[in-house]
Amino acid sequence: MGQEAFTSCQIEGRNTEVFVCHDDQAANYRYGPVGGPAELVLTDTVENVDFEPWSGLGKAIHERITFYNGDYSYEVGGGFDRPFSEEEMHQDIRRFGWVDVAQNGEGVSRLECIPETVSYGFGGGIYDAKVATGLAWDDYSKTSVSAAPVQTPILKTETRYHDPGDCLPSTEFAFGFAKMGDRLTAAYHKLGSPEASSNVTLGGLKIDRMTAFGIDIDILQDVVIGMKATEPLWEMPSGLRVGLTRGEVIRILGYVPNGEEPTAEKFSALVCLDDQDTFAKWYAVIVFGQDKRVQSISFASLSP
């Protein structure tokens, strides 16, 4: 229906086949019996779909695209070997492909393509479609990022207890107009009248937890001591929010905090002490989901 093929093949040892195609708006995954109706169909936008282009290294040219369905992910790859010698020029090109199925990031099964059934055409395609949406590939984080100019990074380095560490300005410990250290009445109105949801115990102290859409607020003695956002609605002053790719987070921070790997499952940083009263010691944790996007952002106090 006006879509371009990314890759397709029949699966070894099974009477099944996989197709991935796209246009400039959406990418589609279809898997099912050869010549029969699809058993699983998944669709994602070109802008959002997890696509990794060829690195430019090695003899084999290959790319991969991953679709997510709840806890499961389906990575589909296709490629071929480049001929380098005169002899290889006269030989059949070796083609290959695969489908990797994972649950919560843990591998479940790997399906290999029958080589002679692999259809994969390198060049343009999904890569160009992503570029047209304003995205660029960041090989450092293995994610797509906005091609727009980078703002001034927010992460700082300070020495604490004789050891250097990375920290965030205290002004970043806020979602919208609500911030850490707010009095209960202020937080209540800023967050649109959250509802009391539960009580938790921390260090032997009873903490009141209130909930609005996509955010939890922990309150002790009428002061906000913790917040956790799980929806893109709640944005930090720098623009950090749920749904950003790992690469976009690194661009806003400036670098990966505290020597973490750029593909780590979470980033964390303390508040900068020179930006606030010393009694307010906070830290932030950014957690990434299996789709390499921010799943949650939490603020907490080091001690109640």
Side-chain angles (χ1 to χ4, degrees), residues 189-211:
H189 292 296
K190 290 175 181 177
L191 295 173
S193 301
E195 299 180 356
S197 60
S198 62
N199 294 322
V200 296
T201 301
L202 181 63
L205 298 174
K206 180 181 176 182
I207 309 296
D208 295 317
R209 176 163 292 172
M210 307 190 78
T211 299

Side-chain angles (χ1 to χ4, degrees), residues 156-158 160 167-170 271-278:
K156 300 180 180 179
T157 299
E158 68 176 15
R160 195 180 304 218
C167 64
L168 288 171
S170 61
V271 67
C272 298
L273 292 179
D274 59 355
D275 284 344
Q276 60 170 48
D277 295 332
T278 56

Side-chain angles (χ1 to χ4, degrees), residues 96-283:
F96 55 89
W98 69 90
V99 179
D100 273 340
V101 183
Q103 183 178 20
N104 293 319
E106 297 293 329
V108 173
S109 62
R110 183 179 177 92
L111 309 179
E112 297 286 352
C113 291
I114 300 173
E116 54 268 25
T117 69
V118 173
S119 173
Y120 164 73
F122 172 69
I126 295 177
Y127 180 84
D128 285 352
K130 275 189 165 290
V131 170
T133 68
L135 295 174
W137 175 249
D138 176 43
D139 200 55
Y140 181 62
S141 65
K142 303 299 183 185
T143 61
S144 294
V145 300
S146 171
V150 181
Q151 64 181 39
T152 302
I154 62 172
L155 203 60
K156 300 180 180 179
T157 299
E158 68 176 15
T159 300
R160 195 180 304 218
Y161 307 118
H162 307 291
D163 291 322
D166 297 321
C167 64
L168 288 171
S170 61
T171 52
E172 282 298 316
F173 286 75
F175 290 121
F177 294 106
K179 62 183 184 296
M180 291 283 283
D182 265 349
R183 307 300 294 184
L184 172 60
T185 51
Y188 186 87
H189 292 296
K190 290 175 181 177
L191 295 173
S193 301
E195 299 180 356
S197 60
S198 62
N199 294 322
V200 296
T201 301
L202 181 63
L205 298 174
K206 180 181 176 182
I207 309 296
D208 295 317
R209 176 163 292 172
M210 307 190 78
T211 299
F213 177 73
I215 191 170
D216 291 334
I217 311 103
D218 290 343
I219 298 166
L220 176 65
Q221 298 176 356
D222 198 35
V223 175
V224 174
I225 65 165
M227 293 192 286
K228 179 178 180 179
T230 55
E231 291 290 338
L233 170 67
W234 306 105
E235 188 171 293
M236 293 167 59
S238 59
L240 286 173
R241 58 175 173 77
V242 168
L244 293 182
T245 67
R246 190 183 281 110
E248 289 169 331
V249 170
I250 294 172
R251 280 162 60 96
I252 293 174
L253 293 176
Y255 54 93
V256 180
N258 303 308
E260 290 278 6
E261 291 294 323
T263 55
E265 295 181 357
K266 65 180 179 180
F267 297 158
S268 60
L270 294 169
V271 67
C272 298
L273 292 179
D274 59 355
D275 284 344
Q276 60 170 48
D277 295 332
T278 56
F279 71 84
K281 299 177 181 178
W282 307 324
Y283 66 95

Side-chain angles (χ1 to χ4, degrees), residues 9-86:
C9 75
Q10 294 180 14
I11 305 300
E12 279 188 355
R14 306 186 179 206
N15 188 35
T16 57
E17 57 190 354
V18 63
F19 292 92
V20 175
C21 54
H22 71 94
D23 54 26
D24 59 355
Q25 299 294 321
N28 299 287
Y29 167 97
R30 296 178 68 253
Y31 178 85
V34 175
E39 295 175 350
L40 180 62
V41 177
L42 301 172
T43 299
D44 204 348
T45 64
V46 162
E47 184 175 10
N48 190 68
V49 74
D50 185 357
F51 171 73
E52 183 173 340
W54 180 47
S55 65
L57 302 175
K59 180 176 182 178
I61 294 176
H62 57 88
E63 297 175 313
R64 66 191 72 198
I65 187 169
T66 306
F67 294 83
Y68 299 92
N69 185 28
D71 294 337
Y72 287 87
S73 64
Y74 302 85
E75 176 192 284
V76 184
F80 60 90
D81 285 343
R82 293 184 292 170
F84 282 122
S85 66
E86 183 68 27

